[in-house]
Amino acid sequence: MFYFSIPLGKFVRRVSRLRGGGSALPGLVVEKIDPGFMRRTLSTLPHGVAVVSGTNGKTTTTKMVVELLESQGLKVFTNRTGSNFTRGVAAALLGEVDWRGRLDADVAVLELDEAHAVHFVNQVPPRYSLLLNVLRDQLDRFGEIDKTAQLLQHIASKTTGTVVLNREDPRVARIAESLTGPDVLYFGLDDSLLSTFPNDDELRAAPGSPVPPAPPKPHADVVLRRVGAADADFEYDGVTATTEMKLRGVYNIFNAAAALTLARAIAVRDSVPGKTVLADNDGLMKALSQVAPAFGRGESLVVDGLPLDLVLVKNPSGFRLGLKSFPAAGYATMIAINDNYADGRDMSWLWDVEFDTLRTEGVDQLSGSRAYDMALRLQYDDVAIGAVDTEIAPALAAFIRGARDKPKRIFCTYTAMLAIRRELSKITTVEVVS
């Protein structure tokens, strides 16, 4: 059947891109005129839909799952722009379907914002869901973290096949207690790594406060055993495999365990009636070793012949892990903090991050709409500041000029990262994400 919404949506998408508009506008249009578009299109996929959600790590984890499944010979549809609202998924679909609305894919792997995922799964029940973590983030949107946990629980309840949960996050692990239909798998950490990934309760606990005994842990399908400078050890099926990693940042490596768990679940398929064909684990590990960072998530560009790293930060846990994963020694540092809707308007979480690791080198440049809030926070940690400019373009230009002979690193919130990538695209090669 021919649907008028398809050519209209494609036309809006083309006009929007020519005008430099946002990637989600065509999706908003097609949602209004054809509410059944996503369900109708995605219901035809042989392996169904997998939803990836949680506070931190959605974009990079989704990218890993996609590349792992492609290594198994599956055609994967995904919302690659990182526009993780339902309209972003609809817009991405418009770019992939033909004029009759047919999608050439075996499975869809979709990154979805926690709140918008609830709306999505009400329309399109996923066969798989991967729930990463629950941390304080965008308090103006989500309120307290128990509300975020409820959103993730709703996603799990709508999942028809397999739910993958973070064993080390108690609010995520507890979701299993409420499930009766789907299978449950876990990903987890070696005990030696637990202190690197504190949950939200541990982040807020006073130093020296008693730690309640942890309940027994369920078996994890994939366990991250070790993180090295350029490799990592993962245990699955009773064996430990070592693989090189292009991804940087300990949080990305933990998310790789999550991606492996979901990919292994999807890639197990019945190719012959009554005979289960297991995932090619060697192929999965080889593919994992080749995954590069998602845009802005530890992405490394080249400016003046030296690396410039972009590190997305949007909550206290992510900023802490970013500072730990990307040491300041030898680098010029810039921090750009915006408070637009996509960043979260409440920036009080900056006071929950310790910036003492920046004390020796200082911060060369602060920018973004909340640059002066960031400056005040750094002063309390005795971190020297070079310059403050709320306008990102001139601040970035000054940062690059002033640190021409040093590698550079920029910690930035989401909309600041987008603005910085646009400016950098004028002077160096920046991957176009469309």
Side-chain angles (χ1 to χ4, degrees):
M1 181 180 294
F2 181 81
Y3 291 89
F4 178 71
S5 59
I6 305 298
L8 177 59
K10 284 181 172 289
F11 173 74
V12 173
R13 183 174 186 270
R14 178 170 298 217
V15 171
S16 178
R17 295 183 69 183
L18 289 173
R19 293 171 58 89
S23 61
L25 176 61
L28 179 61
V29 171
V30 79
E31 276 188 326
K32 294 292 185 183
I33 63 175
D34 186 0
F37 169 66
M38 284 193 299
R39 183 183 183 96
R40 185 175 66 246
T41 304
L42 295 173
S43 64
T44 64
L45 300 180
H47 290 272
V49 174
V51 167
V52 179
S53 195
T55 306
N56 277 353
K58 296 183 289 293
T59 299
T60 299
T61 305
T62 300
K63 185 176 189 290
M64 284 190 275
V65 175
V66 169
E67 295 187 27
L68 291 175
L69 292 178
E70 288 176 342
S71 78
Q72 304 291 291
L74 294 175
K75 292 182 180 178
V76 185
F77 165 75
T78 189
N79 49 335
R80 188 168 174 266
T81 64
S83 180
N84 56 21
F85 293 0
T86 54
R87 68 195 64 163
V89 175
L93 276 171
L94 284 170
E96 296 293 329
V97 298
D98 64 18
W99 291 96
R100 297 180 65 86
R102 294 174 297 197
L103 179 64
D104 182 20
D106 297 309
V107 62
V109 180
L110 304 174
E111 170 198 350
L112 285 168
D113 166 90
E114 300 93 308
H116 282 262
V118 169
H119 300 296
F120 177 86
V121 301
N122 287 338
Q123 300 177 53
V124 186
R127 188 175 302 178
Y128 306 91
S129 59
L130 168 55
L131 307 178
L132 294 169
N133 42 54
V134 177
L135 297 158
R136 280 177 299 147
D137 183 47
Q138 299 194 28
L139 298 181
D140 53 298
R141 290 186 59 217
F142 296 124
E144 283 303 314
I145 58 175
D146 288 332
K147 173 61 176 177
T148 306
Q150 291 172 8
L151 298 174
L152 296 186
Q153 182 176 347
H154 183 82
I155 298 167
S157 71
K158 291 291 185 177
T159 303
T160 61
T162 300
V163 176
V164 178
L165 301 176
N166 180 351
R167 183 181 72 178
E168 315 305 344
D169 188 315
R171 285 181 174 81
V172 173
R174 280 199 296 268
I175 290 173
E177 300 171 3
S178 66
L179 301 179
T180 57
D183 296 329
V184 177
L185 295 174
Y186 296 90
F187 63 97
L189 288 168
D190 188 90
D191 287 348
S192 65
L193 296 172
L194 289 175
S195 62
T196 304
F197 296 91
N199 60 54
D200 197 82
D201 291 337
E202 292 166 340
L203 279 174
R204 301 177 71 177
S209 58
V211 179
K217 292 183 180 181
H219 169 76
D221 185 72
V222 177
V223 178
L224 174 62
R225 291 296 183 193
R226 182 188 63 86
V227 178
D231 64 358
D233 291 347
F234 297 91
E235 181 183 313
Y236 52 86
D237 297 339
V239 300
T240 298
T242 300
T243 183
E244 296 180 354
M245 300 293 294
K246 287 185 177 179
L247 293 169
R248 296 184 299 160
V250 289
Y251 50 91
N252 282 332
I253 310 302
F254 185 30
N255 289 335
L260 276 171
T261 305
L262 178 58
R264 279 162 50 88
I266 296 173
V268 173
R269 52 198 185 273
D270 295 323
S271 58
V272 179
K275 181 179 180 182
T276 298
V277 178
L278 298 179
D280 172 16
N281 288 311
D282 290 341
L284 288 173
M285 297 304 289
K286 182 178 180 181
L288 183 62
S289 71
Q290 298 302 311
V291 178
F295 71 103
R297 279 79 171 176
E299 178 183 24
S300 188
L301 309 174
V302 177
V303 175
D304 295 331
L306 293 169
L308 186 152
D309 299 336
L310 294 178
V311 183
L312 178 69
V313 295
K314 61 191 188 76
N315 54 46
S317 174
F319 213 148
R320 286 181 180 211
L321 286 171
L323 292 169
K324 183 171 185 176
S325 299
F326 298 93
Y331 277 75
T333 299
M334 174 175 170
I335 301 176
I337 305 294
N338 275 352
D339 64 348
N340 297 318
Y341 177 76
D343 306 297
R345 306 306 304 273
D346 185 341
M347 287 291 141
S348 61
W349 60 265
L350 291 172
W351 292 89
D352 294 327
V353 183
E354 292 81 26
F355 294 96
D356 52 287
T357 57
L358 299 176
R359 195 173 293 150
T360 301
E361 301 281 342
V363 173
D364 299 76
Q365 182 76 53
L366 296 176
S367 190
S369 58
R370 300 296 285 269
Y372 285 98
D373 297 77
M374 189 72 245
L376 178 62
R377 176 67 192 91
L378 291 177
Q379 285 183 352
Y380 273 81
D381 273 359
D382 297 320
V383 177
I385 301 165
V388 181
D389 187 339
T390 57
E391 296 297 323
I392 286 177
L396 178 63
F399 174 61
I400 292 172
R401 282 195 310 271
R404 191 173 300 276
D405 299 326
K406 295 179 67 176
K408 303 163 191 66
R409 184 167 294 132
I410 304 176
F411 297 95
C412 45
T413 56
Y414 181 71
T415 64
M417 179 264 291
L418 296 179
I420 288 167
R421 289 181 93 254
R422 283 195 297 269
E423 292 300 314
L424 290 173
S425 69
K426 301 173 184 178
I427 59 174
T428 189
T429 302
V430 176
E431 179 190 12
V432 177
V433 180
S434 60

